């Protein structure tokens, strides 16, 4: 059986924390540059330019792109033929977050309890989604999530009769209600189907896709484009100052559901859209 | 960045506040204070107990921000605005105490806008998600209250040509409304 030590995992997560928070992903840079061409509002254009400048400064000076360096969300695919040695996998992932947030001078934004709200001082615990897959690799995707955008998400258990039109309306309404709060231009992840928690999970997972990468199902890809068009017609624009670029991309993830339900979850991401992946080979 | 608007020196007096209109771009110079959720809650509790606030609010500006820790050799880490709406429950009380400006991003409640109109205050927007860029305009930073709150502690900042846009002015003019209306299809 192939093996990976927890030390290797800690180190990998630590590095993901630094990269994800200080280096703007190329897909976002490309999307911002495309939007600069299509944006009609002078103020909107200026915001897009400043966001690109901001990313350059962050990368050059190794400081976070945004001060909200988020709650660390990890998607972990564990190969079923892999053996983790030297300790607990969950503890290793949290230790990596702890070290990364300390080393990178990232903000510690996690509180112990939603009511007493004492800061845990090390940005743990991380939110960890495990998936057991075939093979002997360990794939780690870190997607730190700021709460300016996270707070604007919504979930609705639609009726089957609401159908496609009901889903589309709910997504657009959610974005319109969010307005300037999630720091547009945003990226929109939509999870459709499953159960309540599955839809929410899929919406977050949809945000891992590169902006501008169409869904492999052409029908869903068409819906993504239609939603993007409707969202950008809202006129909210960069920072909500008015303009054409409210969203850079929309990603859908769909799953089987129950005869009585149509769960739809919308997870909004800000332009930073952090996600970094590493595959550790056993 | 002098082409990015009118230079204004803090503190803000009523005359300056009343001269500002939504959509105006200004460059702030001088002292501003930071405060977000937890610091606001404490300040309101202090007011309720009749205690002094950590700084005199008269004519001051509060920047809604929780910066990242300053790396070695830097004054402050990344320092962009947080969502202002979470301070809506508190801002009217601080405006009544003489606060003249708030820097943040995102929508405000009617109660905040009414207080801004009544007492004369302005809501300014810094670019959300541009924390690395904005940090460069912060020349000094010092924690002056609630150090136990970490990133939420109240900092006294000295800023130079800190770029903001007037989002809501003291007459209720609102860039979020006019901006979206101009581009809605």
């Amino acid at each position: 059986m192939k093996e990976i030590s927890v030390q290797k995992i800690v180190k990998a997560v630590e590095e993901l924390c630094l990269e994800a928070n200080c280096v703007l992903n190329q897909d976002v840079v490309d999307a911002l540059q495309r939007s600069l061409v299509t944006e009609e509002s002078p103020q909107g254009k200026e915001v897009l330019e400043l966001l690109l400048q901001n990313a350059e400064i962050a990368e050059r000076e190794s400081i976070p792109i945004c001060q909200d360096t988020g709650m660390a969300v990890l998607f972990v695919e564990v190969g079923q033929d892999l053996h983790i040695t030297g300790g607990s996998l969950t503890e290793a992932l949290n230790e990596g977050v702890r070290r990364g947030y300390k080393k990178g001078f990232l903000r510690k934004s996690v509180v112990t309890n939603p009511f007493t709200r004492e800061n845990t001082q090390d940005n743990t615990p991380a939110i960890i989604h495990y998936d057991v897959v075939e093979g002997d690799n360990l794939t780690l995707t870190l997607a730190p999530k700021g709460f300016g955008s996270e707070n604007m998400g919504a979930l609705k258990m639609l009726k089957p009769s609401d159908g496609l039109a009901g889903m589309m309306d709910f997504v657009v309404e959610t974005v319109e209600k969010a307005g300037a709060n999630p720091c547009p231009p945003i990226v929109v992840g939509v999870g459709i189907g499953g159960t309540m928690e599955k839809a929410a999970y899929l919406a977050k997972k949809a945000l891992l896709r590169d902006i501008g990468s169409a869904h492999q199902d052409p029908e869903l890809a068409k819906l993504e484009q239609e939603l993007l068009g409707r969202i950008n017609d809202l006129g909210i624009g960069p920072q909500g100052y008015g303009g054409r670029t409210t969203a850079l991309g929309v990603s859908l993830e769909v799953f089987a559901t129950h005869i009585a339900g149509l769960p739809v979850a919308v997870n909004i991401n800000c332009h930073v859209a952090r996600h970094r992946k590493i595959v550790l080979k056993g | 960045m002098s082409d990015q608007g009118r230079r204004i020196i803090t503190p803000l007096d009523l005359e300056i506040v009343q001269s500002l209109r939504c959509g105006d771009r200004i460059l702030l110079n001088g002292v501003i204070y930071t405060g977000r959720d937890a610091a606001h809650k404490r300040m309101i509790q202090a007011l309720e107990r009749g205690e002094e606030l950590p700084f005199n609010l008269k004519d001051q500006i509060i920047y809604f921000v929780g910066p990242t820790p300053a790396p070695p050799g830097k004054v402050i880490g990344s320092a962009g605005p947080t969502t202002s709406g979470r301070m809506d429950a508190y801002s009217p009380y601080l405006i009544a105490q003489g606060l003249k400006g708030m820097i943040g991003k995102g929508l405000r409640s009617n109660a905040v806008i009414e207080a801004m109109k009544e007492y004369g205050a302005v809501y300014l927007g810094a670019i959300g998600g541009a924390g690395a860029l904005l940090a460069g305009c912060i020349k000094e930073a010092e924690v002056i209250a609630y150090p136990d709150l970490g990133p939420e502690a109240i900092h006294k900042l000295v800023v130079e040509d800190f770029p903001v846009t007037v989002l809501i002015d003291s007459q209720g003019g609102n860039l979020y409304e006019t901006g979206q209306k101009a581009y809605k299809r």
Side-chain angles (χ1 to χ4, degrees):
Chain A
M1 192 176 240
K2 294 279 182 64
E3 293 185 347
I4 293 180
S5 71
V6 289
Q7 286 87 350
K8 196 172 166 187
I9 296 165
V10 170
K11 189 76 199 143
V13 173
E14 179 184 324
E15 278 167 23
L16 288 175
C17 291
L18 302 181
E19 284 171 22
N21 278 297
C22 300
V23 184
L24 193 64
N25 280 334
Q26 192 57 43
D27 63 319
V28 180
V29 173
D30 293 345
L32 288 172
Q33 271 161 352
R34 284 195 300 271
S35 299
L36 262 177
V37 179
T38 51
E39 181 56 58
E40 293 164 18
S41 146
Q43 224 163 355
K45 251 192 193 3
E46 193 192 353
V47 168
L48 299 172
E49 275 164 4
L50 290 174
L51 291 177
L52 285 164
Q53 270 182 37
N54 181 70
E56 282 171 28
I57 296 169
E59 185 166 353
R60 190 172 66 230
E61 301 187 9
S62 293
I63 59 173
I65 301 160
C66 173
Q67 75 291 337
D68 188 351
T69 49
M71 198 162 188
V73 179
L74 275 155
F75 289 84
V76 181
E77 289 179 14
V78 189
Q80 64 191 16
D81 299 325
L82 179 70
H83 183 211
I84 311 281
T85 61
S88 144
L89 173 57
T90 300
E91 183 39 43
L93 297 169
N94 277 307
E95 182 60 22
V97 168
R98 197 172 283 129
R99 291 190 191 178
Y101 274 69
K102 182 160 191 254
K103 187 176 172 192
F105 293 89
L106 307 177
R107 199 177 76 186
K108 288 75 182 174
S109 311
V110 176
V111 294
T112 47
N113 168 305
F115 301 110
T116 58
R117 308 196 74 84
E118 282 132 15
N119 199 303
T120 63
Q121 308 291 349
D122 61 8
N123 221 52
T124 67
I127 304 295
I128 306 172
H129 301 293
Y130 287 108
D131 203 359
V132 177
V133 298
E134 285 181 13
D136 49 21
N137 290 340
L138 180 69
T139 305
L140 305 172
T141 306
L142 176 73
K145 190 65 162 70
F147 263 53
S149 58
E150 188 71 359
N151 281 335
M152 295 296 112
L155 184 142
K156 197 166 178 183
M157 304 303 282
L158 295 180
K159 295 187 189 78
S161 61
D162 292 326
L164 204 58
M167 179 279 287
M168 307 275 278
D169 288 347
F170 176 60
V171 175
V172 176
E173 277 161 25
T174 302
V175 171
E176 181 155 37
K177 213 160 111 187
N181 289 9
C183 298
I186 55 173
V187 182
V188 183
V190 186
I192 304 162
T195 49
M196 194 171 104
E197 84 284 6
K198 180 75 174 183
Y201 165 80
L202 289 175
K204 179 59 66 49
K205 205 171 176 190
L207 295 174
L208 303 182
R209 257 178 45 209
D210 277 354
I211 299 167
S213 67
H215 199 286
Q216 54 191 19
D217 176 336
E219 286 304 312
L220 292 175
K222 222 164 78 187
L223 290 179
E224 290 174 346
Q225 281 309 306
E226 201 180 317
L227 275 170
L228 182 62
R230 279 182 64 182
I231 288 168
N232 284 334
D233 281 349
L234 291 172
I236 295 169
Q239 291 296 312
Y241 299 169
R244 290 278 155 254
T245 321
T246 301
L248 299 172
V250 178
S251 297
L252 305 184
E253 289 295 329
V254 177
F255 197 77
T257 191
H258 188 275
I259 47 172
L262 173 46
V264 179
V266 182
N267 198 306
I268 295 177
N269 215 349
C270 65
H271 91 281
V272 186
R274 312 170 183 94
H275 55 96
R276 272 285 193 281
K277 183 164 110 173
I278 186 169
V279 181
L280 300 178
K281 308 259 183 210
Chain B
M1 288 209 228
S2 56
D3 58 332
Q4 285 183 9
R6 167 181 164 197
R7 278 211 169 84
I8 283 182
I9 313 236
T10 64
L12 290 181
D13 61 28
L14 192 61
E15 199 180 327
I16 299 175
V17 167
Q18 286 173 338
S19 74
L20 296 170
R21 290 289 172 274
C22 72
D24 288 357
R25 283 144 24 113
I26 58 181
L27 298 168
L28 290 175
N29 286 270
V31 170
I32 61 174
Y33 294 90
T34 74
R36 47 174 292 155
D37 310 54
H40 272 74
K41 192 173 174 187
R42 282 199 195 172
M43 283 194 282
I44 297 301
Q45 286 167 343
L47 284 176
E48 283 169 354
R49 290 192 297 257
E51 293 167 10
E52 289 274 299
L53 293 182
F55 63 100
N56 185 347
L57 286 172
K58 188 177 169 351
D59 294 349
Q60 298 302 332
I61 297 176
I62 295 182
Y63 181 18
F64 304 142
V65 58
T68 58
K74 298 236 184 248
V75 168
I76 199 164
S78 195
T82 193
T83 310
S84 312
R86 294 193 317 276
M87 270 52 78
D88 282 356
Y90 310 117
S91 292
Y93 298 99
L94 303 184
I95 293 168
Q97 295 286 318
L99 181 72
K100 285 284 183 291
M102 296 161 284
I103 307 172
K105 50 111 177 168
L107 313 169
R108 304 310 304 267
S109 70
N110 285 334
V112 174
I113 297 171
E114 286 308 314
M116 288 168 55
K117 283 156 71 177
E118 185 179 346
Y119 295 96
V122 68
Y123 173 44
L124 307 167
I127 295 183
L133 182 102
L134 292 166
C137 303
I138 299 172
K139 301 302 170 187
E140 292 174 35
E142 179 198 354
V143 173
I144 59 152
Y146 316 143
D148 59 300
L149 295 179
E152 295 204 61
I154 294 183
H155 296 63
K156 182 179 176 181
L157 306 179
V158 176
V159 297
E160 252 178 50
D161 285 351
F162 188 92
V164 290
T165 301
V166 179
L167 297 176
I168 304 177
D169 62 39
S170 59
Q171 309 194 349
N174 189 333
L175 176 65
Y176 287 139
E177 286 171 6
T178 53
Q180 189 182 354
K181 207 179 279 173
Y183 290 92
K184 196 176 170 82
R185 276 175 172 157

